């Protein structure tokens, strides 16, 4: 028997992109295949906790989803003919999956193929990101909309149009020239998936380990294809160095613990050592891009035995380079924190004010402002900013943390 619905959800999230890839590889109907997979996932969520885990979960899901897709295709005569033609071309084992413990060749990883399909150049960059987060990352439309600061209805339309555009596109790994064009979007999407796993944008859990692990696994797969690409190496390093701190980010009741208060003995030293080694390789693989720079910053944090040992001047220097190379307002917000740590909180507040227009309404802007106001001794203003930030985040652990910071200032 499965140990509760959480275990079921983790397993389903792991297999969902692989099952979708198997169906798209055979039929080519992206939208219909995703609908069939969603129905199979719902059936599994109902049955597995009660009836027990099947011997081959992925095979169970592929068979269930394929039956639903076949039924859907047969409802239309033209679709039925396409299904019969596809069946003649497909090997007998097209719908089978390896037994537990057996491996698949890296070239047969449908998830990686699906990742590159979602980043097809026929789609706009925004559509590529949205479709991949939905199909490969398993994020809901609402989660994707929040990550992009757009209404849910807008994001739903974007994803629907993207599915229609890739319908009929061959399901195979792109040729090297095409792959290189898609790589930037692939890496951006993997980073977004990882970020949603490391700090969930909503819900009662701060950390969604399944998403973070899947992003790391996929990034390792991309690096196997492109071992000399500095951006790929840098992104993998950044993920490892960030995820290494996950065990120390929450307390016994799920409460958020900020970086400077974490028990660093809980950090994963093996992941830190691997990440730091990859940073060195990434910086030697061509000009430093955003991922290499962020990984180098993460390494400086992870190498500090105590918060007081953090090399903030070096971190600020790296952020200075980063913000010159990327328009990302979040990078500028992080730089404002580094400015405060080097030059004092009021200098940091000046930087926050300068980027306010780019992050209007985002809870992280208010949270950083509150922290710097608190350090500057402006208690009332800090409390108001913490309270404002708490109303703007949909993450329950973040809300509780921000409310706690605001309440603590009442006694000062």
């Amino acid at each position: 028997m499965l140990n509760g619905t959480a275990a079921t959800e983790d397993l389903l999230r792991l297999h969902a992109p692989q099952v979708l890839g198997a169906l798209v590889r055979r039929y080519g109907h992206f939208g219909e295949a995703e609908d069939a997979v969603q129905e199979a996932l719902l059936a599994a969520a109902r049955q597995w906790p009660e009836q027990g885990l099947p011997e081959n979960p992925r095979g169970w899901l592929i068979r269930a989803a394929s039956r639903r897709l076949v039924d859907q295709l047969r409802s239309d005569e033209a679709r039925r003919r396409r299904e019969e033609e596809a069946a003649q071309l497909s090997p007998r084992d097209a719908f089978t999956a390896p037994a537990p413990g057996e491996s698949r060749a890296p070239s047969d990883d449908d998830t990686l193929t699906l990742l590159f399909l979602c980043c097809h150049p026929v789609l706009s960059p925004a559509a590529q990101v949205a479709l991949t987060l939905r199909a490969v990352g398993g994020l809901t439309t609402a989660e994707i909309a929040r990550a992009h600061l757009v209404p849910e209805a807008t994001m739903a339309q974007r994803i629907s149009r993207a599915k229609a555009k890739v319908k009929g596109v061959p399901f195979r790994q792109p040729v090297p020239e095409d792959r290189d064009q898609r790589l930037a979007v692939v890496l951006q999407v993997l980073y977004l998936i990882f970020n949603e796993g490391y700090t969930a944008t909503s819900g009662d859990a701060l950390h969604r380990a399944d998403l973070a692990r899947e992003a790391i696994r996929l990034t390792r797969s991309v690096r196997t294809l492109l071992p000399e690409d500095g951006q790929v190496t840098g992104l993998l390093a950044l993920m490892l160095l960030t995820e290494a701190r996950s065990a120390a980010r929450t307390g016994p009741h799920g409460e958020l613990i900020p970086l400077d208060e974490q028990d660093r003995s809980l950090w994963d030293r093996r992941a830190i050592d691997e990440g730091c080694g990859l940073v060195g390789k990434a910086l030697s693989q061509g000009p430093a891009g955003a991922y290499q720079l962020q990984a180098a910053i993460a390494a400086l944090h992870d190498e500090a035995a105590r918060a007081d040992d953090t090399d903030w001047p070096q971190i600020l220097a790296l952020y200075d380079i980063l913000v010159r190379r990327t328009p990302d307002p979040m990078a500028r917000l992080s730089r404002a924190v580094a400015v405060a740590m080097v030059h004092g909180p009021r200098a940091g507040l000046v930087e926050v004010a300068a980027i306010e227009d780019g992050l209007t309404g985002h809870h992280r802007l208010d949270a950083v402002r509150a922290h710097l106001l608190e350090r500057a001794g402006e208690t009332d203003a800090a409390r108001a900013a913490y309270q404002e930030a708490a109303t703007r985040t949909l993450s329950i652990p973040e809300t509780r943390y921000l409310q706690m910071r605001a309440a603590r200032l009442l006694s000062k």
Side-chain angles (χ1 to χ4, degrees), residues 24-191:
V24 175
R25 171 162 49 85
R26 181 172 185 180
Y27 290 101
H29 297 274
F30 194 106
E32 293 87 342
E34 191 192 28
D35 291 341
V37 171
Q38 291 301 316
E39 291 182 23
L41 294 174
L42 289 173
R46 289 192 298 267
Q47 296 178 32
W48 291 3
E50 296 180 358
Q51 301 177 11
L53 180 66
E55 181 180 357
N56 186 346
R58 184 170 62 210
W60 190 101
L61 288 167
I62 290 174
R63 287 190 295 273
S66 65
R67 285 194 296 268
R68 287 163 170 77
L69 183 56
V70 166
D71 289 344
Q72 184 178 354
L73 296 178
R74 281 177 175 165
S75 66
D76 179 270
E77 183 66 20
R79 290 181 179 179
R80 186 184 65 78
R81 289 199 301 269
R82 287 197 294 271
E83 177 228 341
E84 291 173 346
E85 293 170 358
Q88 294 174 2
L89 297 174
S90 299
R92 284 183 175 270
D93 62 351
F95 282 120
T96 63
E102 295 184 8
S103 62
R104 304 174 76 187
S107 61
D108 194 32
D109 189 336
D110 286 331
T111 306
L112 192 58
T113 305
L114 181 63
L115 177 63
F116 277 95
L117 173 63
C118 291
C119 296
H120 195 281
V122 71
L123 302 175
S124 68
Q128 291 170 333
V129 172
L131 184 60
T132 310
L133 289 173
R134 182 73 184 89
V136 182
L139 274 65
T140 66
T141 303
E143 289 170 338
I144 301 168
R146 284 195 295 271
H148 287 79
L149 305 177
V150 300
E152 183 176 350
T154 300
M155 185 56 65
Q157 292 176 354
R158 185 180 299 173
I159 293 172
S160 179
R161 288 194 295 266
K163 289 179 185 178
K165 285 188 176 182
V166 299
K167 186 175 183 178
V169 173
F171 189 77
R172 57 172 179 259
Q173 285 279 343
V175 297
E177 298 80 13
D178 190 19
R179 182 185 63 205
D180 292 343
Q181 292 178 356
R182 302 190 207 179
L183 183 60
V185 177
V186 167
L187 297 183
Q188 180 188 8
V189 169
L190 290 174
Y191 188 35

Side-chain angles (χ1 to χ4, degrees), residues 105-380:
S107 61
D108 194 32
D109 189 336
D110 286 331
T111 306
L112 192 58
T113 305
L114 181 63
L115 177 63
F116 277 95
L117 173 63
C118 291
C119 296
H120 195 281
V122 71
L123 302 175
S124 68
Q128 291 170 333
V129 172
L131 184 60
T132 310
L133 289 173
R134 182 73 184 89
V136 182
L139 274 65
T140 66
T141 303
E143 289 170 338
I144 301 168
R146 284 195 295 271
H148 287 79
L149 305 177
V150 300
E152 183 176 350
T154 300
M155 185 56 65
Q157 292 176 354
R158 185 180 299 173
I159 293 172
S160 179
R161 288 194 295 266
K163 289 179 185 178
K165 285 188 176 182
V166 299
K167 186 175 183 178
V169 173
F171 189 77
R172 57 172 179 259
Q173 285 279 343
V175 297
E177 298 80 13
D178 190 19
R179 182 185 63 205
D180 292 343
Q181 292 178 356
R182 302 190 207 179
L183 183 60
V185 177
V186 167
L187 297 183
Q188 180 188 8
V189 169
L190 290 174
Y191 188 35
L192 287 171
I193 294 172
F194 175 79
N195 283 339
E196 178 62 28
Y198 189 70
T199 303
T201 57
S202 64
D204 57 4
L206 181 70
H207 186 227
R208 296 171 63 175
D210 55 334
L211 274 184
R213 286 195 300 263
E214 181 66 3
I216 291 173
R217 186 190 76 81
L218 289 170
T219 306
R220 286 192 188 279
S221 296
V222 176
R223 188 167 185 264
T224 299
L225 290 175
L226 302 167
E228 302 304 318
D229 189 285
Q231 286 285 74
V232 178
T233 303
L235 179 57
L236 179 57
L238 175 59
M239 290 180 178
L240 290 170
L241 290 165
T242 305
E243 181 66 10
R245 310 176 201 137
S246 60
R249 294 180 67 227
T250 54
H253 304 294
E255 66 273 20
L256 187 153
I257 301 176
L259 180 62
D260 59 347
E261 298 177 15
Q262 290 176 13
D263 179 357
R264 300 188 177 212
S265 68
L266 298 177
W267 289 2
D268 186 341
R269 300 311 309 181
R270 181 177 299 180
I272 291 172
D273 290 342
E274 181 184 0
C276 288
L278 288 171
V279 169
K281 292 179 181 177
L283 293 175
S284 69
Q285 293 174 326
Y291 299 124
Q292 293 102 310
L293 291 168
Q294 290 180 79
I297 291 168
L300 288 170
H301 282 295
D302 288 10
E303 289 173 338
R306 302 175 305 149
D308 291 343
D309 298 331
T310 304
D311 189 347
W312 283 107
Q314 182 63 24
I315 288 174
L316 178 56
L318 289 169
Y319 271 123
D320 286 341
I321 300 172
L322 178 61
V323 298
R324 287 198 296 267
R325 298 185 181 181
T326 176
D328 182 10
M330 284 299 178
R332 297 185 65 190
L333 185 61
S334 295
R335 179 184 174 275
V337 175
V339 168
M341 297 304 295
V342 175
H343 300 296
R346 297 200 180 279
L349 286 166
V350 171
E351 298 294 330
V352 169
I355 61 175
E356 188 165 1
D357 289 345
L359 288 169
T360 300
H362 200 291
H363 77 279
R364 296 202 187 283
L365 178 73
D366 291 305
V368 169
R369 180 189 290 111
H371 174 66
L372 298 184
L373 286 168
E374 181 180 359
R375 289 191 61 216
E378 298 187 31
T379 304
D380 291 342

Side-chain angles (χ1 to χ4, degrees), residues 361-363 366-367 369-370 381-393 402 406:
H362 200 291
H363 77 279
D366 291 305
R369 180 189 290 111
R383 184 172 64 253
Y386 278 129
Q387 291 171 337
E388 184 67 23
T391 65
R392 288 178 170 170
T393 179
L402 293 165

